[in-house]
Each structure stands twice: as C-alpha cells, then as structure tokens.
C-alpha cells in the first residue's frame, strides 16, 4: 500500500517537473527537427517513467537527469544559434538524394538507403515516378523532401499570369457568443461596427457561436441554430454587378444621343469604367 | 422613361458605387486593396461630375423633366 502512495506522489512530482522542463525547452523540442531533439525527447520520457515506477531507486536521481537533459537541450539550442559549425555537427545536414532529376547512388549508399526505401518515401508524398523529381533531399530527421520539375508542379495563379488580390489572415471576433476584443482590434473595428453588422445579418450576439472578419471587412458567422440560414456576404459581387450595369448604361447613352459632344463624353467615361472593372476584378470576385 | 430620367438613374447608381467603394477602402486591411478601392472611388467621382453636368444640360433642353 505504501508503494501506491509513493508512486502517486512521484507521478505528481514528475508531471510538474516535466511540465516545467518542456515549457522551458519550448516548441522547438516538439517539432523534433534535429536528431538531438529527437533523442533527448525520448530519453527525458523514459527517465521520467523509470523514476516514477522504480521504487527501489532514489527518485531524486531521476529528477536530476530530467533537469540535466532539459538544460543540455536548451544549451545546444543556444549554441546552435551562435555557431554554424556547431549546428552542422549537432543537428546534421541533409543529404541530397536526387539532383537534376538523377538519383545520386553514392549518397544513397552513404545513408544506407535502398532504392525501395527512397521510392516508398517519395510515394508517401504522392510521387510515383522518380523521373518527375528535379531535386530531393533526405532531411536530418529522416524525411524526404522533393522538388518536382516545373511542369509537374500544381498550377498557380502566377503560372496563369492572373492578378490576385492579396488576402490578410481573417480575425476571429466572436467565440461562444462572446466578443474577442483582440481580434476586433486587429481587424481595426470596434464594438459598434460589430453590432451594426450583426443587425444587418439579423442575428444577436448570444446566438453566434463563431464569427470571423476577413481582410475586406466582411463578417461571416456560424450560429448555434443550424437550421437558420445566415446570408453570405454579397457586397463585393453586387458592387461588381452595379459597376458593369453603369458601364453598360454609359455605352447605351453614347449610342443613343445625337449631341456629338455628349456622345464623346459618354464614350470616354464608358472606357474609363471598363478600365475600372478590369482593375477591380481581382478584389471583387469571390 | 425619358433620356433625362435614365441618365439620372445612372447617376444615382454611380453615387451608390462611390459610397460602397469608399466603405470598402476604409474597411479593407490590405494596403493594395485599399489603394485600388480609393483610386476607383476618385475615378467614379470624375465620371459622376461629367454626368451631373449632362443632367443639367438635359434639364435645360427639356425643362418639363426638371426635378
């Protein structure tokens, strides 16, 4: 019975200790980018497990080891920041496996990789044909990253020479029916604006489970009652439609008037309007 | 519908477009979007002026449609 009590006490102690250590070491440990972080992560875990259940041993020994591993990890991180040489030694470098579309057999051999293992890792990235790969590298943590040849890469608006509006990250302004002041401030709005927008959607704040503001200042909400349809923001598409209508009107006026001077004026303005429509297209669609 | 009333209608919708562009320019966060909306608003303002002048002309030509 005594053992049980001790295990419980030790568990609480190590939960606190591990929490502190991981907080101090930080997010970098979780990402386990380098070999060293990978090893120290596993080791800290097993030391803690051993120290909690190994009743015949002094638990302080285990605690010391956990703390030491934490300190050394932080020290290694700090030194890696300072020195490139140190970084190369401790964190390791990636090995190039495919270059210019050709597999480098010597490097495969050096890493003791078979071609089967390489093609498995490539298949995990949905690459089934080695010939599609321009460049592939084996990262220090054993993952393969691959750059496809240009013609095999997914098409982007840039490839199509389309002009796209830049979009900022949406800000969350309502969560669980409460206003998130931080998001509201980040999007440059205030409470009065929010209440007006909610009124436009004819919902009350209490009914909103989640609400976000996009970079055009349009709000989208999810409400608790899933049966009610909330209108999607239509301001920008509608504006595009009215721009097009005004442009068409100007063209019609220019065709129907007899006055030469006005004809010219309408024509000119219709052309300016068309230019505006082309310019605003990326911002107003979608 | 007369010519004058059609032009007036178009003028009214241009005013609406101008104000919407203004509000979008103020509400957008992205600098380039802000600029595009603001510039468009100014251009629309110029077109609006031309149309306003034309409306006055039409009213002079057809006084019965003044209003």
């Amino acid at each position: 019975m005594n053992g049980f009590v001790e295990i419980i006490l030790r568990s609480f102690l190590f939960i606190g200790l591990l929490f502190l250590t991981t907080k101090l070491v930080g997010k970098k440990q979780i990402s386990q980018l380098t070999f060293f972080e990978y090893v120290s992560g596993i080791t800290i875990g097993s030391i803690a497990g051993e120290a909690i259940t190994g009743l015949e041993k002094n638990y302080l020994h285990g605690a010391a080891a956990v703390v030491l591993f934490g300190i050394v990890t932080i020290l290694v991180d700090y030194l890696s920041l300072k020195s490139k040489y140190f970084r190369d030694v401790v964190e390791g470098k990636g090995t190039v496996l495919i270059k210019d579309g050709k597999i480098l057999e010597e490097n495969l051999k050096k890493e003791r990789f078979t071609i089967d293992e390489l093609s498995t890792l490539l298949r995990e990235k949905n690459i089934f044909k080695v010939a599609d790969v321009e460049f592939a590298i084996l990262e220090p943590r054993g993952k393969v990253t691959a750059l496809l040849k240009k013609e095999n890469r997914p098409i982007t608006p840039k490839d199509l020479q389309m002009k796209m509006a830049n979009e900022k990250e949406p800000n969350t302004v309502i969560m669980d029916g409460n206003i998130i002041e931080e998001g509201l401030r980040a999007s440059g709005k205030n409470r009065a604006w929010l209440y007006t927008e909610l009124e436009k959607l004819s919902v009350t704040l209490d009914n909103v489970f989640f609400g976000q503001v996009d970079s055009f200042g349009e709000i989208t909400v999810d409400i608790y009652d899933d049966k009610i349809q909330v209108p999607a923001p239509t301001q920008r598409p509608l504006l595009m439609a009215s721009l097009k209508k005004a442009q068409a009107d100007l063209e019609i006026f220019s065709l129907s008037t007899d006055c030469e001077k006005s004809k010219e004026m309408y024509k000119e303005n219709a052309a300016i309007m068309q230019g505006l429509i082309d310019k605003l297209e990326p911002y107003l669609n979608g | 519908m007369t010519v004058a009333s059609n032009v007036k209608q178009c003028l009214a919708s241009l005013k609406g477009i101008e104000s919407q562009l203004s509000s979008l320019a103020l509400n957008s966060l992205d600098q380039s979007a802000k600029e595009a909306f603001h510039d468009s608003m100014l251009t629309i303002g110029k077109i609006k002026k031309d149309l306003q002048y034309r409306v006055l002309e039409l009213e002079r030509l057809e006084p019965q449609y003044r209003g």
Side-chain angles (χ1 to χ4, degrees), chain A residues 250 269 272-273, chain B residues 14 43-51:
Chain A
L250 287 173
N269 282 335
I272 295 173
M273 204 72 178
Chain B
L14 277 179
T43 318
I44 293 279
K46 277 179 210 147
I47 298 175
K48 206 182 73 182
K49 232 172 223 154
D50 278 351
L51 277 198

Side-chain angles (χ1 to χ4, degrees), chain B residues 47-60:
Chain B
I47 298 175
K48 206 182 73 182
K49 232 172 223 154
D50 278 351
L51 277 198
Q52 265 164 345
Y53 183 73
R54 181 62 185 157
V55 166
L56 288 179
E57 249 177 14
L58 286 172
E59 279 176 353
R60 212 178 55 233

Side-chain angles (χ1 to χ4, degrees), chain B:
Chain B
M1 292 294 257
T2 64
V3 173
S5 70
N6 276 337
V7 177
K8 274 183 190 168
Q9 221 175 50
C10 184
L11 184 61
S13 72
L14 277 179
K15 279 182 189 165
I17 291 170
E18 196 185 18
S19 69
Q20 279 190 65
L21 283 172
S22 170
S23 97
L24 272 173
L26 290 172
N27 277 321
S28 296
L29 286 178
D30 183 52
Q31 198 55 39
S32 67
K34 255 182 192 306
E35 273 163 28
F37 287 134
H38 189 75
D39 288 349
S40 312
M41 185 194 80
L42 295 179
T43 318
I44 293 279
K46 277 179 210 147
I47 298 175
K48 206 182 73 182
K49 232 172 223 154
D50 278 351
L51 277 198
Q52 265 164 345
Y53 183 73
R54 181 62 185 157
V55 166
L56 288 179
E57 249 177 14
L58 286 172
E59 279 176 353
R60 212 178 55 233
L61 293 172
E62 310 168 61
Q64 66 271 36
Y65 299 118
R66 183 169 297 161

Side-chain angles (χ1 to χ4, degrees), chain A residues 134-194:
Chain A
E134 169 68 27
F135 182 78
I137 196 163
L138 179 68
E139 301 294 346
R141 274 279 280 113
K143 279 181 196 142
V144 165
T145 44
L147 176 73
L148 289 172
K149 285 186 179 141
K150 188 73 184 158
E151 72 259 30
N152 296 317
R153 270 178 244 166
I155 202 157
T156 60
K158 196 177 155 197
D159 294 330
L160 299 171
Q161 292 174 358
M162 277 163 69
K163 195 182 176 301
M164 297 298 287
N166 188 20
E167 241 179 83
K168 299 262 182 254
E169 75 285 8
N171 287 300
T172 303
V173 291
I174 303 173
M175 226 183 245
D176 302 316
N178 295 314
I179 295 177
I180 309 291
E181 291 289 347
E182 201 186 330
L184 209 53
R185 240 177 291 126
S187 57
K189 306 283 184 290
N190 56 22
R191 275 169 179 258
W193 173 87
L194 185 60

